[in-house]
Amino acid sequence: MLIPTIPTPEEVLDKGFRRAKKAANKVRSSNIPRQQKSKKTEEARIKTACQVIEETFNMILERVPKIEEMHMFYQDYIDVVVGVDELKKSLGALNWAVELLSKFENQYVFKVRRSSPQDASRVRSEAFGRISSVVYRIEDELNFLDFAKAKLRNMPTIDFDATTAVIAGFPNVGKSTLLRHITTAEPKVADYPFTTTGIQIGHFERRWQSYQIIDTPGLLDRPVKDMNEIELNAMVALEHLADVILFIFDASETSGYPLESQFRLFEEIKHIFKTPIVCVFNKMDLVERVKYLDEYINKVEDPLMVAAAEGTGVSEIMDKLEEFNDEKKRRSRTDV
C-alpha cells in the first residue's frame, strides 16, 4: 500500500510558515500603496500558511487508496497489520484539520481586512497560534500514519487473474522450499520455525496460463482468536486468494510437529474454507516409519509424495495445478 511520506507537526508548520514568509516578502516588494501594505502582507501570510498546510494534508489523503474500494484481501490484510478502523480514523483527522484550516483562512483574512494596519500583525499572530494548535492536535494520527506506512510498505502485489494456489501448513514443513522450486521466487529458507514472516509470492506459466503460488507463514493448530499477526496473514490469504490450497505435511516429522497435529490442522482448514485442497507429503526422503505414515496418507484423497529440498515430485504438483485449472475452466463453461 503506497502511503506517502508523513511529516511531523513541526515539519508541516515549518513548511507552511516558511512559504508564508516568502509570500509576505513578495507583497512588501510590490507597488501596493504603503497604507495598505501591512494589511496585505499579513493577509498573504495567513492565506499562504493555511493553503500550504491544507495542500500537504490533501496530498496524503489523495494518495492513500480508498480502503472500501480495495479487494477484500487487502482490506483484511490492512486490518490485521494496522487496523482498518484506526487507519480510517487517522485519515479522518486529516480531513478535519483541512476543513478547520479552510475556515480559519476565511475567518482571519476577514479579520485582517476589518482591522487597522496597526492591529493586522496581532490578528496574524493569533491565526498562526490557532493553526499550530490544529496541527498539533492531530500529532497522534500523523504518527500512526507514519507507522502504517512502514508496516504496509511490503504489502504483496496480487495477480487476481492468475490461478492461485496458497501453500499452508505448520512452520518448517518445507513450504518456502517448495515455492522456490515451483516458481522463480526466492523466499528466505532456514531450519527454524516462522522463517516466513510475511506472504511470499511466486509465478509460473504453462500453456499460456498464469499460475500464482503464495507461501503463507506457518500456521499453528489453535483457534483463530489465539493466532498472532503472522498466522492471521496466512488466514487472510487462504480466505480471499486461494483457488486451491496446497496443504503441506512434513512426512518425516523433523519439523517437530507430529503427523497427528498436522492432520488436525488440515481438518480444521478443510472445515473452515471449503476450498479444494491438494495434500502434499513433503520430506519423503527423510521418512523412517513408513507404516505409521500410511495411516495418514490413506486418510486423504490423491496425495502427492515429494522431497522439495531435492526437487523430487515438484513437477507432479505443477501437473496437478494444471489439471485443477483445466477442470475449473470446464466447470465455468458448463455454468455458462
Side-chain angles (χ1 to χ4, degrees), residues 14 21 24 56 58 88 92 94 117 141-142 146 153 187 196 247 277 297 308 319 327 335:
D14 180 65
K21 185 176 180 180
T56 300
N58 277 325
K88 286 183 176 180
L94 264 64
E141 285 76 14
L142 290 171
D146 189 55
R153 182 182 291 114
T196 301
F247 189 89
I277 301 179
I297 290 176
D319 291 341
E327 178 61 28
D335 292 341

Side-chain angles (χ1 to χ4, degrees), residues 247-253 259-260 262-263 266-267 270 278-285 287-306:
F247 189 89
I248 313 301
F249 289 92
D250 171 13
S252 70
E253 298 183 330
L259 279 165
E260 180 182 357
Q262 296 181 61
F263 187 77
F266 162 73
E267 289 281 273
K270 184 179 178 182
V278 174
C279 293
V280 179
F281 285 82
N282 188 28
K283 304 186 184 181
M284 291 299 294
D285 53 321
V287 170
E288 295 180 356
R289 294 189 293 166
V290 177
K291 288 186 179 180
Y292 173 68
L293 175 62
D294 284 344
E295 175 188 344
Y296 294 95
I297 290 176
N298 293 331
K299 289 182 178 181
V300 301
E301 185 178 346
D302 298 328
L304 298 177
M305 315 297 171
V306 307

Side-chain angles (χ1 to χ4, degrees), residues 5-217:
T5 300
I6 306 298
T8 64
E10 291 80 8
E11 290 169 336
V12 172
L13 293 170
D14 180 65
K15 180 181 178 182
F17 293 160
R18 194 167 8 96
R19 292 271 293 276
K21 185 176 180 180
K22 289 181 179 179
N25 290 337
K26 189 174 181 180
V27 173
R28 288 193 188 99
S29 62
S30 67
N31 294 322
I32 297 174
R34 185 175 179 180
Q35 63 271 25
Q36 298 178 19
K37 191 166 288 189
S38 61
K39 293 175 65 172
K40 289 292 185 182
T41 297
E42 302 303 353
E43 181 180 327
R45 292 181 72 178
I46 293 169
K47 291 177 69 173
T48 302
C50 288
Q51 290 171 7
V52 167
I53 296 171
E54 288 173 44
E55 288 169 6
T56 300
F57 291 156
N58 277 325
M59 179 273 293
I60 296 171
L61 292 167
E62 288 167 5
R63 291 191 184 179
V64 176
K66 299 291 185 293
I67 297 172
E68 58 275 8
E69 296 176 3
M70 301 176 78
H71 189 279
M72 279 305 301
F73 164 75
Y74 287 125
Q75 293 189 41
D76 279 0
Y77 183 96
I78 292 168
D79 201 27
V80 166
V81 175
V82 299
V84 165
D85 290 342
E86 190 66 26
L87 184 58
K88 286 183 176 180
K89 174 178 172 289
S90 296
L91 294 172
L94 264 64
N95 261 317
W96 169 83
V98 168
E99 291 174 3
L100 204 53
L101 289 168
S102 179
K103 180 180 177 181
F104 285 171
E105 179 186 345
N106 294 330
Q107 178 183 340
Y108 281 97
V109 164
F110 180 75
K111 279 189 175 183
V112 167
R113 290 175 180 174
R114 293 287 300 271
S115 69
S116 66
Q118 293 77 18
D119 286 340
S121 177
R122 179 189 57 77
V123 173
R124 187 267 308 158
S125 181
E126 180 184 328
F128 275 20
R130 296 193 70 182
I131 291 168
S132 298
S133 177
V134 167
V135 173
Y136 276 111
R137 280 185 65 180
I138 63 168
E139 182 174 14
D140 288 346
E141 285 76 14
L142 290 171
N143 288 338
F144 177 82
L145 289 172
D146 189 55
F147 160 78
K149 172 183 171 63
K151 293 286 285 184
L152 299 174
R153 182 182 291 114
N154 297 319
M155 192 165 71
T157 301
I158 304 298
D159 179 0
F160 294 104
D161 294 324
T163 295
T164 301
V166 176
I167 305 175
F170 271 80
N172 207 33
V173 298
K175 300 188 301 296
S176 296
T177 302
L178 187 63
L179 178 71
R180 187 177 58 194
H181 280 282
I182 295 177
T183 72
T184 57
E186 295 184 0
K188 182 180 180 183
V189 177
D191 293 326
Y192 51 87
F194 289 109
T195 304
T196 301
T197 56
I199 293 173
Q200 308 283 342
I201 303 175
H203 300 85
F204 73 91
E205 287 193 8
R206 271 196 174 186
R207 299 181 187 178
W208 304 283
Q209 173 63 46
S210 295
Y211 294 85
Q212 180 173 241
I213 313 297
I214 299 178
D215 172 28
T216 59

Side-chain angles (χ1 to χ4, degrees), residues 232-245:
L232 288 172
N233 279 335
M235 298 296 279
V236 168
L238 289 169
E239 180 178 1
H240 295 299
L241 301 179
D243 293 313
V244 59
I245 296 170

